[in-house]
Every structure is written in structure tokens, then in C-alpha cells.
Amino acid sequence: MNLTLKVWRQKNANDPGRFETYRARDIIADMSFLEMLDVVNEELIGKGEEPIAFDSDCREGICGTCSLVINGVAHGGQKATTACQLHMRHFNDGDTITIEPWRARSFPVVKDLIVDRVAFDRIIQAGGFVSVRTGGVPDANAIPIPKPDAELAMDAAQCIGCGACVAACKNASAMLFVAAKVSHLGLLPQGKVEKDRRVLNMVKAMDEAGFGNCTITGSCEAVCPKQISLDFIARMNRDYAVALLKRK
Ligand code: SF4
Ligand code: FES
């Protein structure tokens, strides 16, 4: 396949940025989207030009590092698929593809397609540990956990912290991400002890980072590569209200 790419290039956070057009030549259908960008970058480096900066790590859909808005959709619009797992067979020879970074005030652009997601780390730090004495490692079956709770906690734990939910939301809300993290810990007996403190602190950190409010458009759930359900937002709102009442 031969493709035309319109790629967002931005030197740093202060540069206004602009789209540049590139040709991607001899792209194989079995390549991933990031491998296609590697091919383009090799050509750019060969010509002595600056390669396109983009984030990736595992390239297996598990780390949440890749962060591309492809043709206007976070992760490219294939259901339950990260940008690194998106394959070129979903495109056609001659296509023009637009590639942009996540766009949200709380995710400033570092360079080209790379954004700074340290705001997510701050939210995790605000609530993501257990301070009770846990003792040695218990046997796996020493703490009975009802199966529905275990399954729901594991559903929430699938969140890879990519930030696509923020990028897709017109309010740049991080509610789906925070709700997944709050539920993943709060549903299990080990994490229940500090459930109230955790939800209050994580929501506070989310607000301080400048993320917008949720108006339940569902765009986050639609782009989430791990199909985290909007139900977790409702669950977090309940947990938050209960924690506030208890504190009063
Ligand atoms: S909720 Fe989904 S879209 Fe949001 S950070 Fe987690 S995995 Fe990514
Ligand atoms: S690079 Fe790890 S999820 Fe895409």
C-alpha cells in the first residue's frame, strides 16, 4: 500500500504546531500502525530529516503508552484495539490518514505526537496504596472474595492508563480512568479498608490536574481499548458521595 499521512508536528509545548504531509510507501497489510510509522521514520532519517516523535513501549496493547488520534478517533476506531495493535489491513491503498496527539489541557504536548500524562501518575499516587499491615504473602484462597466482586474488580483492573478516554471526551474528563482505578481497588477486601480516603483523594487529584467534568456522553467508553464500562463512573460517584457523608 502507498498512503498519504497528515501528521501533527510540534517542536515543544510552546510551538504552535502544524500538519505536515508525508508519503508512506510499500506498506504491508500485516504491519501494525506503529510499524508503518517506523518505516516512514527510517525514510526521514535516511534523508537527514527529523523523525516523527511518538510514544510506544509494549506494542502488545498492555502498557497504555501509545497515544495517537487516527482520523479523528483516539486509537483509530477499531473496537477494543490500541494504536499499537491496529493493523494496516484496516486501511486501503491510496488512503489519506490524519495522525494527531491526544488533545487535552491536562496532557500538554511534549513533542509531535507525544503528550505528558504525568497527571495520571499524580492521581494514582493520591490514592493507590494500602497502608495497613498486610503481613506475609497469604495463600491465594486465604481471603474469600465473592466471584462477582472478583470479576468486577478484574474488569476495572484492565484499564491500562492510556488516556484515550480523556482525548475522546469533549470535556477532557478523566472520570472513566479514575473510576476504573477506584473500583479495581475498592471492590476487593484488601483495598476496602481505605476505600473512602482513596476515592476522596483521587477525585481531588483529578480536579487539581484540570480534567473536566463528566456529562455522560459515553465517548470515553466508545474509544476505550479495554472496554471499561461507564457503570464504573456511577459506582465511583456513589462511593464518593458515601465517603463525603461519612467524613461530615
Ligand atoms: S479507562 Fe480505557 S481509555 Fe481510559 S485510560 Fe483506562 S484503558 Fe485507557
Ligand atoms: S505500546 Fe503498549 S499499549 Fe500500545
Side-chain angles (χ1 to χ4, degrees), residues 34 56-66 82-84 160:
L34 302 190
S56 76
D57 190 355
C58 72
R59 298 197 174 199
E60 292 179 345
I62 53 175
C63 75
T65 309
C66 54
T82 53
C84 62
I160 53 174

Side-chain angles (χ1 to χ4, degrees), residues 75 120 158-166 176-177 180-181 220 223-228:
H75 286 305
F120 269 13
Q158 285 195 73
C159 168
I160 53 174
C162 62
C165 45
V166 176
L176 195 65
F177 163 74
K181 297 302 171 195
C220 53
V223 299
C224 175
K226 298 298 158 186
Q227 300 191 285
I228 303 293

Side-chain angles (χ1 to χ4, degrees), residues 13-244:
N14 300 322
D15 179 23
R18 76 266 160 223
F19 281 105
E20 296 276 352
T21 304
Y22 300 95
R23 295 284 293 160
R25 295 182 183 88
D26 301 328
I27 300 302
I28 300 162
D30 289 336
M31 281 179 176
S32 73
F33 200 84
L34 302 190
E35 285 166 343
M36 180 275 292
L37 286 178
D38 291 339
V39 170
V40 174
N41 272 347
E42 274 174 25
E43 195 180 322
L44 287 176
I45 292 165
K47 287 193 289 189
E49 292 179 30
E50 181 84 9
I52 301 159
F54 64 92
D55 252 340
S56 76
D57 190 355
C58 72
R59 298 197 174 199
E60 292 179 345
I62 53 175
C63 75
T65 309
C66 54
S67 51
L68 303 176
V69 175
I70 300 162
N71 288 339
V73 184
H75 286 305
Q78 284 294 315
K79 197 121 189 96
T81 306
T82 53
C84 62
Q85 289 284 288
L86 179 66
H87 285 87
M88 295 312 296
R89 54 181 165 268
H90 298 297
F91 299 89
N92 300 310
D93 184 38
D95 275 0
T96 297
I97 306 172
T98 307
I99 312 169
E100 299 167 78
W102 286 174
R103 295 197 190 275
R105 192 178 50 176
S106 305
F107 289 160
V109 172
V110 175
K111 187 174 180 185
D112 296 342
L113 303 170
I114 298 177
V115 298
D116 184 353
R117 281 170 282 184
V118 74
F120 269 13
D121 296 336
R122 291 207 187 96
I123 295 169
I124 294 291
Q125 280 169 353
F129 74 99
V130 175
S131 63
V132 292
R133 188 190 297 274
T134 55
V137 180
D139 286 342
N141 58 358
I143 304 172
I145 301 171
K147 187 155 173 57
D149 288 354
E151 289 194 342
L152 212 49
M154 290 306 117
D155 285 350
Q158 285 195 73
C159 168
I160 53 174
C162 62
C165 45
V166 176
C169 176
K170 69 185 173 78
N171 310 316
S173 169
M175 289 283 271
L176 195 65
F177 163 74
V178 181
K181 297 302 171 195
V182 162
S183 297
H184 147 213
L185 297 167
L187 277 158
L188 299 174
Q190 299 93 327
K192 264 200 181 118
V193 183
E194 298 183 72
K195 187 177 169 199
D196 296 339
R197 182 187 63 81
R198 186 183 305 114
V199 68
L200 293 174
N201 288 348
M202 290 181 87
V203 169
K204 184 164 173 275
M206 174 181 78
D207 290 342
E208 284 171 358
F211 291 106
N213 286 323
C214 174
T215 49
I216 323 177
T217 63
S219 50
C220 53
E221 187 187 63
V223 299
C224 175
K226 298 298 158 186
Q227 300 191 285
I228 303 293
S229 165
L230 274 183
D231 292 351
F232 286 112
I233 295 183
R235 174 178 286 278
M236 178 172 77
N237 284 339
R238 282 198 302 275
D239 288 350
Y240 185 77
V242 168
L244 264 188

